[in-house]
Amino acid sequence: YDDQGKVEVGAAGVERAITEAKASAILGVWSSSVTLAQMEVAKRHNVPLLAVFSWADDVTGKNYPQVFRIGPYNAKIAEQMGNFIVAKSYKKVVVLAEDTAYGLGFAKAFEARMKKSSGVSLEVVQFQAQTQDLTAVMSKVSAMKPDVVVVQGVFAATNLSIKQGREVGLKSDIVAGWDWPALPDYWNAVGDAGVGVMYPAFSVPTMEVTAEGKRFIAAYKKAHGTAPAVFQYYLWDNFNAVKAAIEKS
């Protein structure tokens, strides 16, 4: 099922998966705004939903017994990002946040974190998550002359923010909100504008993985020709959790 990053499409997909396909579990959900709607359907039907990279705090903050998450969440990432901003001695920070539960949720959590650190000014600039042109937004951000821009987005606009930001004269450092610069489409989309962009990562090449992890990496590379992204490890863990639950029951 393709939820297209749209709340109503995602919720309807989960409804069909459960009522028509008789799904025993829902996996692979992504965009937080969509996940929050999908959760309500899963809860109503009492079918487990396992989130992979849905960062909104409410995904697990609502404490639904049907909902599980493998991966990070906004409040935790905002705390760590704040520590990084302070360590880098940035004084003027702009958060470029998509208008979703993920983007705005991070901005809210990050604002709360930065209130603990004096001497740092913070501005939040919103943009439409599925926009195809950020020129006007990035011109506005560039005119603010920040020391650093933190980009919190999920869709194609993440790469656009870097490419079009540099095109309109943005000189500041750029921090991607997560490790999407490690994805295969990054350099094709941004070109030389991508040089120097920083990002938090949830794994490094030197990190040891389990025997199951090694098996997954080998199978993924054979199928796709590239190494899996970190959230794909999480999804494989979700599949294994469901498999273990089925076998146990």
Side-chain angles (χ1 to χ4, degrees), residues 54-111:
S54 306
W55 284 23
D57 291 353
D58 274 350
V59 170
T60 44
K62 289 189 174 184
N63 289 316
Y64 288 171
Q66 298 84 2
V67 178
F68 306 85
R69 166 161 50 197
I70 293 177
Y73 57 97
N74 273 331
K76 176 60 68 175
I77 300 302
E79 182 71 26
Q80 298 299 317
M81 184 71 78
N83 295 344
F84 176 76
I85 293 298
V86 172
K88 293 286 286 184
S89 300
Y90 293 127
K91 299 303 180 185
K92 190 171 185 179
V93 183
V94 169
V95 172
L96 188 64
E98 67 176 29
D99 58 350
T100 63
Y102 154 65
L104 299 181
F106 174 87
K108 180 180 178 181
F110 191 63
E111 285 180 310

Side-chain angles (χ1 to χ4, degrees), residues 160-183:
L160 281 176
S161 66
I162 294 174
K163 184 176 186 295
Q164 295 180 338
R166 295 307 190 207
E167 287 174 349
V168 300
L170 179 67
K171 303 297 184 184
S172 71
D173 287 350
I174 297 176
V175 178
W178 50 286
D179 45 1
W180 46 264
L183 300 182

Side-chain angles (χ1 to χ4, degrees), residues 27-30 50-55 70-72 178-180 182-185 202-203 209-210 212-241:
L27 297 87
V29 296
W30 182 266
L50 292 82
V52 179
F53 224 56
S54 306
W55 284 23
I70 293 177
W178 50 286
D179 45 1
W180 46 264
L183 300 182
D185 65 338
F202 305 99
S203 67
V209 297
T210 62
E212 176 62 17
K214 292 175 181 177
R215 190 175 75 84
F216 169 62
I217 292 170
Y220 190 93
K221 286 182 176 179
K222 182 178 180 180
H224 302 286
T226 61
V230 63
F231 47 81
Q232 290 165 320
Y233 291 90
Y234 297 158
L235 179 57
W236 192 247
D237 281 340
N238 276 349
F239 274 111
N240 281 320

Side-chain angles (χ1 to χ4, degrees), residues 1-228:
Y1 297 82
D2 178 8
D3 65 30
Q4 302 172 30
K6 298 176 181 178
V7 171
E8 65 279 4
V9 176
V14 170
E15 184 77 33
R16 292 198 314 275
I18 294 172
T19 60
E20 297 176 13
K22 309 302 180 186
S24 299
I26 304 297
L27 297 87
V29 296
W30 182 266
S31 175
S32 290
S33 294
V34 183
T35 299
L36 290 170
Q38 292 168 323
M39 283 166 46
E40 300 300 329
V41 181
K43 177 176 181 288
R44 176 160 45 85
H45 289 286
N46 196 32
V47 170
L49 179 147
L50 292 82
V52 179
F53 224 56
S54 306
W55 284 23
D57 291 353
D58 274 350
V59 170
T60 44
K62 289 189 174 184
N63 289 316
Y64 288 171
Q66 298 84 2
V67 178
F68 306 85
R69 166 161 50 197
I70 293 177
Y73 57 97
N74 273 331
K76 176 60 68 175
I77 300 302
E79 182 71 26
Q80 298 299 317
M81 184 71 78
N83 295 344
F84 176 76
I85 293 298
V86 172
K88 293 286 286 184
S89 300
Y90 293 127
K91 299 303 180 185
K92 190 171 185 179
V93 183
V94 169
V95 172
L96 188 64
E98 67 176 29
D99 58 350
T100 63
Y102 154 65
L104 299 181
F106 174 87
K108 180 180 178 181
F110 191 63
E111 285 180 310
R113 164 62 183 87
M114 296 317 297
K115 286 180 180 178
K116 303 175 184 178
S117 300
S118 60
V120 179
S121 68
L122 174 64
E123 294 285 344
V124 176
V125 176
Q126 295 183 32
F127 67 93
Q128 292 182 328
Q130 299 201 37
T131 184
Q132 297 300 310
D133 188 358
L134 277 171
T135 303
V137 173
M138 296 315 299
S139 294
K140 175 182 177 181
V141 172
S142 179
M144 298 166 74
K145 299 187 182 304
D147 296 323
V148 63
V149 176
V150 180
V151 182
Q152 291 292 350
V154 171
F155 301 101
T158 51
N159 287 332
L160 281 176
S161 66
I162 294 174
K163 184 176 186 295
Q164 295 180 338
R166 295 307 190 207
E167 287 174 349
V168 300
L170 179 67
K171 303 297 184 184
S172 71
D173 287 350
I174 297 176
V175 178
W178 50 286
D179 45 1
W180 46 264
L183 300 182
D185 65 338
Y186 176 74
W187 292 109
N188 289 336
V190 304
D192 291 343
V195 176
V197 171
M198 297 170 282
Y199 58 88
F202 305 99
S203 67
V204 294
T206 56
M207 183 181 293
E208 286 292 325
V209 297
T210 62
E212 176 62 17
K214 292 175 181 177
R215 190 175 75 84
F216 169 62
I217 292 170
Y220 190 93
K221 286 182 176 179
K222 182 178 180 180
H224 302 286
T226 61

